[in-house]
């Protein structure tokens, strides 16, 4: 009898271990860092007194070798691309080289934080749970982080409120955003599977400015409270998670998914178009930008089937709701039709993301310049951050705001 009970206990114990391991894995996110900077060098320092562990995988075989295994406070580690590998340089507190080696992959782990200086252009503080590897002659950095901790930092990175809101109003809007971020995370976790992580740290997915992004936000205590009080809450529709898309300012009318993306929509929730008057005082409710015609044609060169002159026309094609769906570059008998998503991506990539702010605009030609006059900032789909902030200012709570922008959804754990 004792033996039988013991075996049953063993089975239950192993099941509990299996479940807890699965939950721990599911509650972790992998975030790809700094891809837009295309880094070839990264300088790393330990923040605090704790020693950080280093695991090196050799370039020739995935076996651990007797390379330096610790980095402590005061020391620094520099990673430099060397062919298909990483050249690693460990220096002491006086900057003197202590050790150097070559790695295919390097992992740092500990309970402290790291300060990363990337390509001498960006400094960011992140938890000491990060892996570096050489990929396409660049350093790929992948952070492993607790999901709720990520929600907290992303919420702080995506929204900085002015001081005109009181603490109660600020709490409501940060609850709204944290639920949207969490819902997006649950729904889109496989977005970068082919790259070896879940999300990137830029506007393609979610902004992640690191621990210093939260520390520098004047509402950091309210953000922590908002995430804590909404822990586990997400948007659902008929039992399915709803991606919590959000945009800076919708310009008075939120978009339909088909007006933003041409790919298949996997969510069963059919995002409705919501009329929003709450963002009308936002600086991006209406906007105007100008750029030289020559710069536009140069940026669009990869998509053009001919060489346009300064006299060529750029003609927006609209749907029946006023959203640009494609653009026509036309001159005499030559013309090229460009999907709006490709147009905006190329213009943003080549000329900056502050030229074409949304997919709602008109175009005027004035001399050698093209003038864009538009409404809204972002993809205009889902939650309007500007409008939601104004609703919080007027006394609406987080669930009322979410119902306004995501009608017929339910808040579920």
């Amino acid at each position: 009898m004792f033996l039988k009970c013991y075996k049953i206990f063993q089975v239950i114990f192993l099941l509990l271990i299996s479940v807890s391991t699965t939950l721990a894995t599911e509650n972790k996110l992998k975030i790809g860092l700094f891809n837009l900077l295309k880094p070839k060098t990264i300088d790393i320092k330990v923040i605090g007194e704790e020693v950080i562990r280093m695991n090196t995988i050799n370039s020739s075989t995935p076996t651990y070798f007797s390379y330096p295994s610790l980095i402590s406070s005061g020391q620094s580690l520099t990673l430099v691309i060397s062919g298909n590998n990483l050249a690693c340089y460990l220096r002491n507190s006086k900057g003197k080289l202590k050790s150097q080696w070559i790695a295919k992959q390097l992992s740092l782990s500990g309970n402290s934080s790291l300060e990363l200086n990337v390509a001498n252009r960006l400094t960011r503080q992140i938890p000491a749970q990060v892996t570096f590897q050489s990929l396409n002659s660049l350093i790929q950095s992948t952070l492993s982080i607790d999901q709720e901790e990520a929600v907290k930092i992303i919420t702080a990175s995506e929204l900085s409120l002015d001081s005109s809101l009181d603490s109660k109003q600020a709490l409501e809007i940060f609850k709204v955003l944290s639920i949207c971020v969490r819902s997006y995370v649950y729904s889109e976790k496989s977005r970068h599977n082919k790259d070896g992580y879940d999300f990137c740290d830029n506007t393609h997915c979610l902004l992640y400015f690191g621990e210093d992004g939260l520390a520098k936000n004047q509402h950091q205590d309210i953000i922590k409270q908002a995430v804590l009080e909404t822990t586990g809450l997400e948007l659902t529709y008929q039992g399915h998670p709803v991606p919590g898309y959000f945009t800076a300012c919708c310009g008075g009318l939120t978009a339909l998914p088909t007006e933003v993306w041409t790919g298949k929509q996997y969510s069963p929730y059919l995002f409705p178009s919501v009329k929003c008057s709450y963002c009308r005082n936002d600086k991006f409710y209406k906007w105007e930008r100008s750029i030289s015609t020559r710069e536009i044609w140069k940026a669009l060169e990869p998509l053009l089937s001919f060489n346009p002159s300064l006299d060529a026309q750029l003609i927006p094609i609209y749907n029946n709701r006023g959203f640009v769906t494609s653009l026509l570059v036309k001159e005499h008998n030559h013309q090229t039709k460009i999907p709006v998503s490709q147009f905006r991506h190329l213009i943003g990539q080549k000329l900056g993301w502050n030229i074409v702010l949304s997919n709602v605009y008109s175009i005027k030609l004035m001399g050698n310049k093209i003038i864009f006059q538009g409404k809204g900032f972002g993809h205009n789909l889902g939650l309007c951050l500007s409008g939601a902030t104004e609703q919080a200012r007027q006394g609406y709570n987080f669930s009322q705001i979410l119902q306004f922008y995501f009608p017929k959804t339910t808040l579920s754990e």
Side-chain angles (χ1 to χ4, degrees):
M1 182 69 179
F2 173 79
L3 184 61
K4 185 177 181 181
C5 290
Y6 178 73
K7 286 183 177 179
I8 292 173
F9 174 77
Q10 273 189 315
V11 170
I12 294 172
F13 181 69
L14 290 172
L15 282 171
L16 286 172
I17 290 176
S18 175
V19 170
S20 62
T21 303
T22 302
L23 288 173
T25 303
E26 287 179 349
N27 287 332
K28 286 287 185 180
L29 285 183
K30 290 185 177 180
I31 301 177
L33 305 174
F34 320 124
N35 293 337
L36 288 180
L37 295 178
K38 299 182 177 179
K40 292 180 179 288
T41 63
I42 293 181
D43 295 299
I44 304 164
K45 291 181 181 178
V46 178
I47 298 175
E49 299 300 321
E50 185 180 333
V51 173
I52 301 299
R53 294 181 296 279
M54 293 192 295
N55 286 326
T56 297
I57 294 182
N58 186 274
S59 59
S60 57
T61 175
T63 306
Y64 289 93
F65 286 79
S66 57
Y67 299 113
S69 59
L70 300 173
I71 174 173
S72 57
S73 178
Q75 295 180 335
S76 63
L77 177 66
T78 299
L79 308 180
V80 181
I81 282 293
S82 176
N84 294 321
N85 302 304
L86 297 174
C88 309
Y89 303 92
L90 181 64
R91 291 180 170 84
N92 63 20
S93 58
K94 296 181 179 178
K96 185 176 179 180
L97 187 65
K98 184 179 178 182
S99 184
Q100 66 183 77
W101 67 99
I102 295 292
K104 186 67 178 176
Q105 179 178 301
L106 180 72
S107 297
L108 303 183
S109 59
N111 296 321
S112 191
S113 298
L114 302 171
E115 180 185 280
L116 273 59
N117 184 283
V118 185
N120 294 318
R121 292 170 59 189
L122 174 72
T123 299
R124 188 159 287 172
Q125 182 177 322
I126 65 168
Q129 298 289 338
V130 61
T131 298
F132 306 94
Q133 63 180 340
S134 170
L135 188 67
N136 300 324
S137 299
L138 299 171
I139 301 177
Q140 177 177 291
S141 310
T142 304
L143 171 67
S144 179
I145 184 172
D146 175 78
Q147 192 162 270
E148 288 299 300
E149 188 65 24
V151 169
K152 192 188 306 177
I153 293 175
I154 291 166
T155 299
S157 302
E158 290 281 2
L159 181 62
S160 291
L161 295 177
D162 60 44
S163 55
S164 64
L165 274 74
D166 63 34
S167 58
K168 184 178 184 304
Q169 295 165 343
L171 180 62
E172 295 307 310
I173 183 58
F174 282 122
K175 281 183 177 181
V176 169
L177 181 54
S178 64
I179 290 171
C180 284
V181 169
R182 189 181 295 109
S183 301
Y184 182 93
V185 165
Y186 287 162
S187 303
E188 305 282 312
K189 200 169 181 178
S190 60
R191 191 169 171 84
H192 276 282
N193 263 1
K194 62 182 178 61
D195 301 311
Y197 47 84
D198 299 311
F199 302 103
C200 62
D201 63 346
N202 56 66
T203 53
H204 178 261
C205 291
L206 295 164
L207 293 180
Y208 179 89
F209 290 162
E211 294 172 331
D212 40 350
L214 177 61
K216 291 175 182 176
N217 194 304
Q218 63 175 323
H219 293 97
Q220 61 170 301
D221 292 333
I222 296 176
I223 293 169
K224 291 175 183 177
Q225 182 183 350
V227 173
L228 182 63
E229 291 185 9
T230 63
T231 299
L233 283 181
E234 64 167 323
L235 292 166
T236 61
Y237 176 71
Q238 296 180 350
H240 298 279
V242 173
Y245 299 126
F246 54 91
T247 191
C249 175
C250 73
L253 185 68
T254 67
L256 300 172
T258 52
E259 293 166 336
V260 180
W261 300 296
T262 55
K264 182 179 178 182
Q265 183 186 346
Y266 293 98
S267 171
Y269 181 66
L270 301 176
F271 288 82
S273 181
V274 176
K275 289 183 179 179
C276 169
S277 60
Y278 295 97
C279 62
R280 59 178 175 266
N281 293 323
D282 190 274
K283 63 181 178 179
F284 295 117
Y285 184 77
K286 287 185 179 180
W287 51 267
E288 180 175 301
R289 299 289 187 273
S290 66
I291 191 78
S292 76
T293 308
R294 192 184 302 277
E295 286 182 277
I296 288 283
W297 299 154
K298 186 169 174 143
L300 297 177
E301 193 174 12
L303 300 177
L304 296 175
S305 59
F306 67 101
N307 224 0
S309 72
L310 296 179
D311 297 324
Q313 294 177 285
L314 181 61
I315 305 168
I317 300 171
Y318 302 93
N319 66 7
N320 58 2
R321 290 167 19 88
F323 284 81
V324 179
T325 57
S326 57
L327 295 103
L328 204 62
V329 181
K330 187 175 181 181
E331 186 173 17
H332 305 307
N333 295 326
H334 302 286
Q335 67 177 38
T336 301
K337 190 175 182 180
I338 303 172
V340 67
S341 56
Q342 290 187 27
F343 173 81
R344 194 165 166 216
H345 179 76
L346 262 184
I347 295 299
Q349 195 177 51
K350 304 284 185 180
L351 303 178
W353 300 98
N354 198 35
I355 303 295
V356 182
L357 303 186
S358 71
N359 288 336
V360 182
Y361 52 83
S362 61
I363 292 176
K364 290 183 180 179
L365 298 177
M366 189 173 289
N368 292 331
K369 286 188 175 181
I370 292 178
I371 298 174
F372 296 89
Q373 294 177 323
K375 297 181 74 175
F377 185 13
H379 50 55
N380 292 19
L381 176 63
L383 177 80
C384 171
L385 277 173
S386 174
T389 302
E390 179 56 31
Q391 287 190 41
R393 192 194 308 275
Q394 293 185 21
Y396 293 93
N397 65 35
F398 74 96
S399 59
Q400 291 172 318
I401 296 170
L402 288 168
Q403 270 303 303
F404 180 81
Y405 291 103
F406 302 95
K408 299 182 180 179
T409 59
T410 303
L411 279 175
S412 306
E413 287 196 13

